[in-house]
Amino acid sequence: MSIALACGNLTKSYGPVPALRNLDLQLEENVIYGLLGRNGAGKTTLLNTIAGGIVADSGTIEVSGKKLGRGELPKDFCYVRDQYRHFGSARVIEALEIAACFHPQWDWSYARELLSLFLIDPDQKIRQLSSGTQSLIGNIIGLASRAQITLYDEPVLGLDVLMRERFYKTLLEDYANHPRTILLSTHLIDEIAPVAEKIFILESGALLL
C-alpha cells in the first residue's frame, strides 16, 4: 500500500527538554490510525510539526513521497486542533466559511448535515461555546474538508458519552464512503481501539509501537 505521510528521525526540543526524539512514523493511504499517549507525551508537538506550525530541529516529513520544506504546509491536508478559540468572536458559520477556503474538496451539504446532527446553532459565536462544542466544530471541519490526510488532536475533548459515540459512528460511516488517511490523537485507549485500524503509542517523544 502507498505511504501517505512519512516522518523520518524527527527531533524537537524546548530548551533542554526533548519533545520528539528521533521519531519515525509512516501512515499508509486510507487507514485510520490511533495515536495514544499521556498528556505531555508529545502528541500535539508531533501533529503541529507535521502541520507546519512547529519547525522540527531535525528530520524529514514527506507527503505522498514529496519531502516538505521547513514549515511547508502539506497539500490536501486538515489538522483539527483540540480548541477553536482563535476564531474569537466569529460565528460558527463564519468559522466554517474560513475553513472551506483552505480545503478545495469541502462539502457544504455535509457540513450543514453535521451541524444538525451535533445540535449546533450556526449563528452562535465560537467564544460562547463550551469546550465540547468547540471540539465538535473542529470535527465538522475535519469531516467536511474531505482532506486525504486528516489529523485530529483530542477530538472528543469535553464531549459527553453520547456525543463521543455519535462522533465515532459518524467518522466511521463517512470513512466508509470517503476513504482517506486519518490519525486520531487521544489518551482514551478504550474508546479508540474499536475505531482505529492501527495504533501508535507515544511516550516522552518516542514511539513505542
Side-chain angles (χ1 to χ4, degrees), residues 11-85:
T11 64
K12 177 65 180 179
S13 296
Y14 298 104
V17 181
L20 299 176
R21 297 184 294 147
N22 307 111
L23 187 144
D24 293 317
L25 175 73
Q26 287 192 342
L27 304 182
E28 296 175 349
E29 291 183 349
N30 303 333
V31 176
I32 298 178
Y33 292 90
L35 178 64
L36 303 178
R38 295 176 293 183
N39 292 334
K43 302 190 301 299
T44 297
T45 297
L46 174 59
L47 299 189
N48 268 321
T49 302
I50 294 172
I54 294 175
V55 178
D57 296 332
S58 63
T60 60
I61 299 173
E62 294 185 2
V63 175
S64 299
K66 178 184 179 297
K67 183 177 177 180
L68 301 183
R70 289 174 64 86
E72 181 181 354
L73 296 176
K75 299 293 189 297
D76 203 7
F77 173 91
C78 184
Y79 174 33
V80 180
R81 303 172 187 276
D82 61 347
Q83 295 289 312
Y84 275 79
R85 294 192 184 93

Side-chain angles (χ1 to χ4, degrees), residues 92 114-122 124 129 133 136-137 140:
V92 170
L114 292 171
L115 286 172
S116 177
L117 177 67
F118 293 126
L119 309 176
I120 298 174
D121 179 357
Q124 194 166 7
L129 302 177
T133 305
L136 288 172
I137 298 302
I140 289 173

Side-chain angles (χ1 to χ4, degrees), residues 4 34 39 53 62-63 78 86 107 110 113 116 118 123 133 151-152 173 178-179 207-209:
N39 292 334
E62 294 185 2
V63 175
C78 184
H86 57 281
D107 188 333
Y110 188 48
E113 179 184 327
S116 177
F118 293 126
D123 291 320
T133 305
L151 310 184
Y152 291 86
E173 288 175 348
H178 302 275
L207 284 179
L208 303 181
L209 184 65

